[in-house]
Amino acid sequence: MKTNKRLLLAMIAISTVLSASEIDTGKLYENYCVVCHVTDLEKMKDKASLIAPPADEIMEHMKYEFENKEKAVKFMAEYMLTPDPKKALCASIETFGVMPAQKGIITLEEAEAISSMMFDKYPRKEFIADEVKGRMTFEKLDVNVDGSITAKEYQLFRATKNNIDPSKFINSYYFDRLDLNGDGKMDREEYNIMREEKRRKKNR
Ligand code: HEC
């Protein structure tokens, strides 16, 4: 697994922070999370400087994926203590790499408290996902028009949409899950399954 140097540096920055004694979720977030998951709207705009998805973006994905707060909090707390790239719901894992495990840094109780706070607070209304602009279609993704989409094509679309340098993609964890038969490509049927799943969740 390729480790991201910038994530390691951020972890070192955290280890110098004193730990909080009571569960003050705002403080915990400031101490352990904000160094990677920024919440400053100005900083969020400078996409090239980001080393992890901002809090608003994470919560947009979580609320989309889980039908209630309880399920989202359970997933998030487990994920942050022992991240598993096979379970990650943020496609940005492909540029940022896997999050460093917080086990031993924060307790399960603290992880749940932070998740609950994040659920209540994010995404903020100032955070507008520019979804319509970059709406995905099979044709847009299939750059070389060969009837199937590779991880590279999928990532190129997302790089263009989000102004990310395509060379920043260091893995294909997210794409691999869309490639249901594991042949390295997403064909039209697999694409339709993904879209259908997204529609189903959106209309829930
Ligand atoms: C050193 C940087 C770093 C720190 C510190 C960090 N994270 Fe992360 N986190 C990431 C990256 C990178 C991702 C995206 C890749 C992934 O999902 O593993 C991520 C993803 C997540 C996700 C979404 C997982 C998914 O489904 O994709 C949650 C929730 C999360 N972080 C919560 C937290 C919380 C809460 C804290 C503080 C206790 C924290 N993180 C600390 C880097 C970090």
Side-chain angles (χ1 to χ4, degrees):
M1 196 184 300
K2 201 167 165 184
T3 0
N4 189 322
K5 234 195 251 156
R6 293 204 289 173
L7 289 187
L8 287 178
L9 288 176
M11 284 303 285
I12 293 165
I14 290 170
S15 65
T16 62
V17 177
L18 293 172
S19 62
S21 49
E22 79 267 25
I23 297 198
D24 174 344
T25 51
K27 209 176 219 163
L28 280 175
Y29 191 89
E30 284 296 314
N31 286 354
Y32 299 110
C33 318
V34 83
V35 64
C36 292
H37 299 297
V38 299
T39 53
D40 181 302
L41 290 161
E42 281 310 306
K43 281 190 194 155
M44 281 161 60
K45 277 186 205 148
D46 183 11
K47 296 226 175 199
S49 73
L50 299 181
I51 57 171
D56 300 84
E57 207 170 296
I58 293 180
M59 292 321 300
E60 194 175 56
H61 289 303
M62 298 301 142
K63 287 183 179 172
Y64 181 67
E65 189 68 27
F66 299 104
E67 66 265 36
N68 62 41
K69 178 173 172 179
E70 197 189 337
K71 283 188 182 158
V73 165
K74 183 172 186 291
F75 171 85
M76 288 169 67
E78 268 167 24
Y79 190 91
M80 64 185 85
L81 294 180
T82 48
D84 177 351
K86 292 201 185 74
K87 294 185 184 155
L89 298 172
C90 295
S92 62
I93 192 173
E94 296 192 348
T95 53
F96 297 134
V98 191
M99 168 171 159
Q102 303 298 299
K103 202 173 185 160
I105 300 173
I106 55 168
T107 64
L108 175 62
E109 218 188 342
E110 289 169 333
E112 284 170 349
I114 300 173
S115 305
S116 168
M117 175 277 288
M118 287 174 78
F119 192 95
D120 294 340
K121 193 163 174 187
Y122 304 101
R124 293 161 293 182
K125 58 178 180 310
E126 300 93 319
F127 173 81
I128 304 146
D130 202 351
E131 217 193 294
V132 178
K133 183 184 109 202
R135 187 148 292 184
M136 188 180 276
T137 63
F138 190 89
E139 285 67 29
K140 269 195 222 163
L141 286 167
D142 184 13
V143 176
N144 68 354
V145 209
D146 68 348
S148 62
I149 295 150
T150 59
K152 266 221 157 70
E153 285 172 319
Y154 182 64
Q155 293 173 341
L156 185 67
F157 175 84
R158 288 182 18 229
T160 312
K161 183 181 167 197
N162 298 310
N163 286 324
I164 304 170
D165 174 356
S167 71
K168 284 201 170 162
F169 284 82
I170 51 175
N171 63 64
S172 60
Y173 291 130
Y174 194 81
F175 175 84
D176 292 346
R177 290 212 310 265
L178 305 176
D179 170 19
L180 300 172
N181 65 3
D183 67 351
K185 292 174 285 192
M186 177 161 58
D187 56 33
R188 200 175 277 273
E189 201 184 324
E190 288 165 332
Y191 174 84
N192 289 340
I193 292 171
M194 169 189 77
R195 296 302 294 183
E196 194 41 53
E197 181 76 352
K198 280 192 191 290
R199 252 193 299 275
R200 193 179 62 75
K201 286 186 174 146
K202 205 163 206 159
N203 297 331
R204 190 167 49 198

